[in-house]
Amino acid sequence: MHILLAEDDRRLGNLIQHMLQKEGMTVDWVVRGDMALEYAAYSPYDVIILDWMMPGRTGLAVCEELRQTGYHQAILLLTAKDAVEDRVLGLDTGADDYLVKPFEFSELLARLRALCRRSSHQLKEDVVEFGGLALERTSRVLRQADGSKTQLSGREFQILDMLLQNKGQVVPRELILDRVWGLEAEVTSNNLDAYVRLLRKKIDPSGSNGLLQTVRGIGYKLEEA
């Protein structure tokens, strides 16, 4: 399960991220509403958890904007607001579920699982094709047009999968770093550059297709010539 957590309380955010990761989930954690919108635009999530009150944009505003743009994945609101009218407002804005603070972690976990079961869009395509290549998500294997196969490392797979989800669009370097290594990781752009070089060799062994492009000063994109 891939979760986006938007919570500006760093103590609570760190705790939720840690507990969900212990359950085997992949968790991206941001502390601002505008960051949540940016992450949701570049990465597919099974569930987005939004704190109601955040800097940048409120969770309610983020939820509303996502639904207006056609976002269909599950959204769970976290808030200390427990009045009936607040719950109705949250659900009417587009949230699929609503959890009042403080809460038991077991209840949060149960609600996340229920949201994923109800989501008709939970499962991703196992194989994604682009530019003569095919990425097998389950095995993290990259197939070339000639049928040859290359095993990707975990980081290589995450970077390529993110770029494939945004084909033809520039994905900022900072977003890739945060998405693949995490907000708290001590990692530099040099680490990303090294992985991109390795990935480019696997995508284009002959150096002829130019699918993985560097957009100087911004980031990377996958684009067919």
Side-chain angles (χ1 to χ4, degrees), residues 4-214:
L4 173 61
L5 170 63
E7 170 60 69
D8 65 319
D9 183 329
R10 292 186 178 273
R11 179 178 171 277
L12 179 59
N14 186 61
L15 177 62
I16 293 174
Q17 182 184 47
H18 175 71
M19 296 298 287
L20 292 181
Q21 286 175 337
K22 283 182 64 177
E23 295 294 325
M25 301 180 190
T26 300
V27 183
D28 296 333
W29 172 31
V30 298
V31 296
R32 295 176 56 90
D34 47 2
M35 292 174 67
L37 282 171
E38 185 176 1
Y39 269 58
Y42 283 102
S43 298
Y45 292 97
D46 296 307
V47 182
I48 295 180
I49 303 172
L50 296 173
D51 180 39
W52 187 305
M53 298 302 296
M54 287 186 294
R57 270 193 179 89
T58 67
L60 197 66
V62 171
C63 180
E64 184 174 27
E65 186 164 339
L66 286 173
R67 294 309 190 207
Q68 288 175 349
T69 59
Y71 190 85
H72 51 66
Q73 299 293 81
I75 297 175
L76 170 65
L77 276 176
L78 298 181
T79 179
K81 297 176 180 288
D82 59 357
V84 172
E85 55 267 28
D86 291 322
R87 299 187 189 207
V88 171
L89 176 60
L91 295 171
D92 282 348
T93 301
D96 297 279
D97 203 352
Y98 190 108
L99 189 57
V100 177
K101 301 176 181 178
F103 52 83
E104 293 293 331
F105 177 73
S106 57
E107 183 179 5
L108 172 62
L109 191 59
R111 287 174 183 260
L112 290 175
R113 287 173 173 158
L115 287 171
C116 276
R117 285 196 299 269
R118 296 205 302 263
S119 176
S120 61
H121 302 279
Q122 178 187 353
L123 297 178
K124 303 175 184 176
E125 296 174 78
D126 183 58
V127 178
V128 180
E129 298 182 352
F130 181 70
L133 303 174
L135 177 63
E136 299 176 3
R137 281 198 170 105
T138 302
S139 60
R140 296 183 178 178
V141 166
L142 181 66
R143 292 201 316 260
Q144 300 288 344
D146 62 4
S148 60
K149 295 184 177 183
T150 304
Q151 183 69 53
L152 300 180
S153 70
R155 301 289 193 199
E156 291 169 345
F157 169 78
Q158 288 178 287
I159 295 169
L160 180 56
D161 193 42
M162 188 174 184
L163 293 172
L164 280 168
Q165 292 298 323
N166 300 276
K167 291 178 286 191
Q169 301 179 49
V170 180
V171 182
R173 299 170 61 88
E174 293 78 11
L175 189 60
I176 298 175
L177 287 168
D178 286 348
R179 167 68 180 79
V180 175
W181 279 272
L183 286 171
E184 305 300 324
E186 294 183 3
V187 64
T188 68
S189 292
N190 290 335
N191 295 93
L192 176 57
D193 293 338
Y195 274 97
V196 169
R197 284 195 296 271
L198 292 171
L199 185 57
R200 185 175 278 125
K201 290 179 181 178
K202 293 182 177 181
I203 291 175
D204 186 16
S206 65
S208 60
N209 64 36
L211 288 174
L212 178 48
Q213 301 179 9
T214 300

